[in-house]
Amino acid sequence: MLALRLARAAHPLVHLRRLLVAAASAGTGFLLLCTLGYAMAHPQASTGSALRLAWCLAPMAATVYFAVAVARTDPGTRPRSGLAAIGLGPGRLMALSALTTALSTVFGSLLALLAFLHVRGDLPGGALGGRAADFLATDQPLPLPAALTLLAVVPVTASLASALVLRPHEERRRRAGRRKAEADADTEVSAEVPGTVVDPDRPAAPRPAPGGLPWGVAALAAGLAVETYAGRTSPAAGPWLPGDPARGPLAVPVGWALTALGLLLAGPALTYLCGRLLQAVRPGAVRLLAGRGLQEEAGRIGRPLGVVSAVASGAYATAALSADATRSFGPLTALGALLVTGCTLATLAVAAIEARQARAATVAGLVRLGAPATLLRNAVLLRAAVLIVVFVPLTWAVAELAALPLRG
């Protein structure tokens, strides 16, 4: 009940993010049910059904990743002073956040079930015919336990991932305690010494660089090597995508997965290096502010940027595949691509909102000190420009290398 009250009293933008999570869960659940329908209509093609189910892992991972990002920025479950006194400590808030995520994803799964029953003809409205019957199995009764099991995958995974990410850490609490103690000490000094003003933008030591760059480069190189090797060998039997537009080496999707993992791991470190690059060679106020901001937000926005780069490179390679394919992609493939692309872009947008909220105190301090609005605006534009300059060529290079097996 408390989770429902917190969800109902949230800001409209928070409701919009939760509805987007429900929509993503509905799309992923519909893909899973279509895979079940294909397995029912083609009991002899167990390998093809398993491969189609494996291809559903990409939209499912994107949906869970987006749900976790929304849970991290949910203001209703954010720790606040005084909540621990009424029994809402960090552990209880983490459970509420996981429950809120479960409510959104379960709502989307129920929508997917209703949509699937509607297009099958089990509900009033008539069934779809033609090629769609291969994925609906309209001539057979739907096994409800199997359908509910598939639909429960996204809510359970998203809830567990949210609880894992938002679990209270002792070290995090200790750091917060130290920062609060330092702030209280500064306040006491300011109160004791008349005329003393505490600088809210006092330069602090930047965070240490993320350590995922070596692992990211290793995974990226391994993925490109697997794709290159697969392009030089004879094609193996197996569909490229759920729509089955063409066949090719099964090792290429494995290479794509390793490449995506490499970009995900290297994203925070690359963002941190962008901040270091901005502060090189006698930086001014704008470059210093932009560089420190990127270093502080490297872990928050670096991973979504890496995922977006991975999705963009995969989309480029898929476009190269569709140009040589004899058949066009089906509607299920388009739905899966829409889910992956939409969830990754929405996750990046949520991360940007979270970063803006995190630096709100610094911006307010600079405004109180008389910093012009153009300074803050130029710092934001400079951060975005340097990220584009670094990540766009990287994405294009990885996409070109990933597309080589398809062209060979």
Side-chain angles (χ1 to χ4, degrees):
M1 293 299 296
L2 181 58
L4 290 176
R5 290 178 181 177
L6 291 175
R8 185 181 58 184
H11 192 271
L13 290 179
V14 178
H15 286 303
L16 177 61
R17 293 200 292 264
R18 291 170 180 167
L19 288 176
L20 290 177
V21 171
S25 177
T28 304
F30 188 80
L31 285 179
L32 292 172
L33 291 178
C34 289
T35 303
L36 175 62
Y38 181 87
M40 293 168 54
H42 304 83
Q44 73 284 353
S46 58
T47 303
S49 300
L51 288 173
R52 283 171 171 79
L53 183 62
W55 276 113
C56 292
L57 292 177
M60 186 178 70
T63 300
V64 171
Y65 191 51
F66 177 48
V68 171
V70 171
R72 288 183 57 182
T73 58
D74 194 340
T77 56
R78 186 175 302 166
R80 293 183 294 272
S81 59
L83 291 181
I86 60 174
L88 293 178
R92 185 73 180 277
L93 290 177
M94 177 267 295
L96 288 176
S97 179
L99 183 57
T100 304
T101 303
L103 291 175
S104 301
T105 50
V106 166
F107 178 68
S109 297
L110 291 178
L111 291 179
L113 180 60
L114 292 177
F116 188 74
L117 293 176
H118 177 74
V119 297
R120 269 175 51 91
D122 298 332
L123 298 179
L128 297 179
R131 189 179 176 185
D134 293 340
F135 295 91
L136 299 177
T138 55
D139 57 340
Q140 302 181 37
L142 180 67
L144 194 58
L148 293 180
T149 301
L150 287 177
L151 290 177
V153 172
V154 173
V156 171
T157 306
S159 302
L160 292 178
S162 300
L164 182 63
V165 170
L166 299 177
R167 71 188 187 279
H169 295 279
E170 292 296 333
E171 180 62 26
R172 185 186 304 172
R173 288 200 293 265
R174 284 196 295 267
R175 287 200 302 265
R178 287 196 298 266
R179 292 175 182 173
K180 185 176 184 302
E182 292 175 358
D184 294 341
D186 291 340
T187 304
E188 293 176 359
V189 171
S190 177
E192 293 176 359
V193 181
T196 302
V197 179
V198 179
D199 185 2
D201 189 43
R202 181 180 53 189
R207 291 188 177 184
L213 185 59
W215 292 103
V217 173
L220 183 62
L224 295 176
V226 169
E227 293 172 18
T228 304
Y229 176 78
R232 295 179 179 178
T233 57
S234 58
W240 279 102
L241 294 170
D244 198 14
R247 293 182 178 270
L250 190 58
V252 172
V254 177
W256 287 357
L258 289 174
T259 302
L261 178 63
L263 290 173
L264 172 64
L265 294 175
L270 290 176
T271 305
Y272 189 90
L273 290 177
C274 289
R276 290 287 299 273
L277 180 64
L278 282 177
Q279 300 176 75
V281 191
R282 301 178 64 181
V286 176
R287 285 201 293 147
L288 184 61
L289 184 61
R292 285 294 178 89
L294 284 180
Q295 287 181 317
E296 187 72 19
E297 300 162 4
R300 184 176 291 113
I301 65 175
R303 291 186 183 90
L305 278 173
V307 173
V308 169
S309 298
V311 171
S313 61
Y316 183 90
T318 304
L321 171 64
S322 63
D324 299 331
T326 57
R327 287 181 289 172
S328 59
F329 292 162
L332 295 182
T333 305
L335 176 60
L338 178 63
L339 283 173
V340 173
T341 305
C343 287
T344 52
L345 292 177
T347 303
L348 181 59
V350 170
I353 293 175
E354 185 182 8
R356 182 179 181 181
Q357 294 173 351
R359 63 173 180 266
T362 301
V363 172
L366 290 174
V367 171
R368 286 196 301 268
L369 289 175
T374 55
L375 174 67
L376 304 177
R377 186 164 51 248
N378 291 338
V380 172
L381 294 177
L382 186 58
R383 281 197 295 266
V386 72
L387 290 176
I388 291 174
V389 168
V390 171
F391 277 90
V392 169
L394 175 65
T395 303
W396 176 81
V398 173
E400 285 287 341
L401 293 175
L404 285 179
L406 307 179
R407 295 170 176 170

